[in-house]
Amino acid sequence: MPYRRKFLKRAGYTTLSALLTMGFLQKDNQKEDNSTNAIAANNTSKNLNSPLRQLAAAKGKRYGAAISGEFLLKDKDYANLIARECSIATPNGELKWDATEPQPGKFTFESADAIADFCRKHNIELHGHTLFWHMGKPDWVPYPPTLQMIERHVKGVMGHYRNSPVLKSWDIANEIIADSENETDNATYGLRKGVKPELIRDLFLIAASVDKNKKFYLNDFGIEGATWKSDRFLKMVEYLKNSGVKIDGAGIQSHLWFSTAYGFDEKGFNSVLKRLNDLEVKPIITELDIIIDTPLPDSIKKLDQMVADSYKRYLDLCFAAKVDTVITWGLTDRHTWIRHPRWMPRKTFRNNPSLWKFLRPLPFDENLQPKPACNAIAQAFQQAT
Ligand code: XIL
């Protein structure tokens, strides 16, 4: 099953019924009016029109997005929007292995350096993504890579950014937990086939030997609830902690997909957040976007409201657990990855270009205008205690 389907199939999603329990979809109009009015009412207040980075900073938090160097260069309006709204940014692909070490031992940083320079100019923190992943790697790199390959790669890439004034954190490893128990040969930690816990431990140790002044994260998807995957992810975090490894945060990607097919689990999500707190590993929201799948509502207006309510509900849970960093996977629907045929939810959208207009997972629309989702995120920051 292609990555995207597998990726979406097992990540934590919300059924419409669960949406009702989570307050994402209000059953009766009155409630709906309240939630809409609440956002609308706030919309008039000056604050809500403030840049999201400013509303986040007012609560000691950061808001940002995945950004693409290509669009920063080609799309000035997009670049200005990023500069206005984001206080942290993750390169969409420019710091992945295939971009930084396309040939063994040959490092290329032009595209990542251009993003780092943009971040420096606009006082945006840069989050490094990622040093170890089963995708985004050149063909010469096997999965898992050998320890020698890992050591050369980590020393080359982290070394290049050791003194960077903007890069402050790394996804040291990304998506190392398998999608299900029949895709791992490690029952305890559920690691992807061929990956041993000791290899990940050594990866983190090598990273600390290169630059212990950055924050180190273990990043994954489908852990936004009490799932087989989140249980193994938390066990792996605990293993790394018990191995004396420097691990500062857990990246919860948060690609949320609401449909009648998948269950979101508010109680389970809270238990994941609590477990991370107990392990003294900070939960970081690293790739948030919200996709509504079948049954689609009958209008874009209704879809946008569902997405907005979902952002608000999810971020309220995050901020109640003192999450202080929220990165959406993109800022505008214009450049969302989910509109790419390879990544969109196949069943509903793949062969239905007429439905692609419903793929609206981000705070700003394709004309770079704020959507109800933007107001909802603003309101969540504003109400965060
Ligand atoms: C995605 C990018 O957005 C796409 O442009 C690329 O083609 C594939 O990778 N989880 C991750 C990200 O950690 O690196 C992925 O980014 C999305 C899923």
Side-chain angles (χ1 to χ4, degrees):
M1 184 185 286
Y3 171 76
R4 175 74 198 160
R5 249 163 85 74
K6 198 187 286 188
F7 154 65
L8 284 172
K9 190 157 175 47
R10 290 176 183 75
Y13 299 97
T14 301
T15 60
L16 285 186
S17 53
L19 283 169
L20 295 177
T21 53
M22 289 186 70
F24 281 93
L25 284 185
Q26 313 292 0
K27 256 199 286 192
D28 60 277
N29 292 337
Q30 184 49 42
K31 271 191 183 172
E32 201 145 29
D33 289 347
N34 288 348
S35 94
T36 315
N37 290 344
I39 290 181
N42 272 296
N43 207 354
T44 54
S45 77
K46 183 185 138 337
N47 287 6
L48 268 185
N49 298 321
S50 305
L52 293 175
R53 68 180 291 172
Q54 209 174 305
L55 293 167
K59 296 296 172 77
K61 300 181 188 295
R62 294 171 297 187
Y63 167 76
I67 61 178
S68 154
E70 178 200 349
F71 300 130
L72 279 186
L73 273 179
K74 285 195 315 200
D75 185 342
K76 279 299 154 235
D77 294 338
Y78 164 79
N80 292 336
L81 186 68
I82 296 285
R84 191 186 78 205
E85 298 294 331
C86 297
S87 51
I88 186 169
T90 304
N92 185 63
E94 293 79 357
L95 278 174
K96 291 173 179 171
W97 199 315
D98 54 1
T100 54
E101 192 185 0
Q103 296 302 328
K106 299 268 176 295
F107 293 95
T108 54
F109 297 113
E110 289 76 11
S111 56
D113 283 351
I115 290 179
D117 199 42
F118 175 86
C119 289
R120 186 184 49 74
K121 282 200 188 100
H122 299 286
N123 188 24
I124 297 171
E125 191 179 315
L126 185 60
H127 173 55
H129 174 81
T130 176
L131 298 168
F132 182 99
W133 189 32
H134 64 290
M135 297 188 72
K137 61 180 186 57
D139 293 343
W140 64 269
V141 177
Y143 188 81
T146 65
L147 194 58
Q148 291 67 29
M149 291 175 185
I150 289 170
E151 185 155 16
R152 178 175 57 192
H153 186 68
V154 170
K155 286 184 173 174
V157 178
M158 287 187 77
H160 184 77
Y161 291 100
R162 185 186 294 115
N163 300 320
S164 165
V166 291
L167 195 150
K168 306 285 186 205
S169 55
W170 280 104
D171 286 336
I172 301 293
N174 189 39
E175 302 184 359
I176 61 173
I177 309 297
D179 292 319
S180 74
E181 52 272 51
N182 49 34
E183 295 170 82
T184 177
D185 37 29
N186 179 307
T188 308
Y189 301 113
L191 293 163
R192 290 184 186 274
K193 282 210 164 79
V195 180
K196 300 264 181 291
E198 293 79 5
L199 183 70
I200 304 302
R201 176 200 62 198
D202 294 346
L203 164 64
F204 273 78
L205 289 171
I206 292 165
S209 73
V210 176
D211 181 359
K212 56 170 65 67
N213 298 319
K214 306 286 189 284
K215 297 295 181 193
F216 291 1
Y217 302 158
L218 181 66
N219 192 49
D220 219 321
F221 71 92
I223 56 176
E224 303 82 7
T227 60
W228 174 89
K229 189 164 185 174
S230 63
D231 174 66
R232 271 59 184 188
F233 178 85
L234 291 165
K235 284 196 174 90
M236 193 58 205
V237 170
E238 188 172 21
Y239 163 82
L240 291 170
K241 289 288 282 189
N242 293 342
S243 305
V245 149
K246 171 183 155 68
I247 173 167
D248 306 288
I252 304 175
Q253 288 187 14
S254 308
H255 292 292
L256 303 182
W257 182 19
F258 298 145
S259 90
T260 50
Y262 302 104
F264 183 86
D265 165 13
E266 177 175 343
K267 188 162 165 284
F269 180 50
N270 281 329
S271 70
V272 168
L273 295 170
K274 182 178 178 320
R275 185 88 187 90
L276 289 169
N277 265 319
D278 294 346
L279 288 165
E280 293 179 351
V281 172
K282 261 178 78 172
I284 311 283
I285 305 303
T286 50
E287 305 186 15
L288 178 56
D289 53 15
I290 294 187
I291 304 149
I292 302 291
D293 202 340
T294 43
L296 288 167
D298 54 17
S299 73
I300 294 293
K301 186 168 184 291
K302 280 192 190 143
L303 178 102
D304 281 353
Q305 194 54 55
M306 286 167 76
V307 171
D309 292 346
S310 309
Y311 268 108
K312 179 69 171 60
R313 195 79 188 79
Y314 190 71
L315 290 178
D316 284 350
L317 296 172
C318 292
F319 295 155
K322 303 301 174 208
V323 167
D324 67 10
T325 302
V326 174
I327 301 171
T328 48
W329 199 247
L331 188 60
T332 158
D333 297 336
R334 178 184 290 184
H335 299 311
T336 174
W337 73 305
I338 212 72
R339 284 189 178 178
H340 187 290
R342 184 178 174 196
W343 305 113
M344 60 181 59
R346 177 193 302 262
K347 210 159 145 285
T348 309
F349 297 98
R350 174 64 62 85
N351 303 316
N352 281 311
S354 65
L355 296 181
W356 293 2
K357 62 179 185 292
F358 283 103
L359 291 167
R360 296 169 62 85
L362 293 169
F364 290 83
D365 69 16
E366 47 277 277
N367 301 315
L368 310 188
Q369 294 310 305
K371 293 155 54 183
C374 186
N375 292 334
I377 295 169
Q379 201 181 21
F381 278 119
Q382 221 178 35
Q383 293 174 7
T385 49

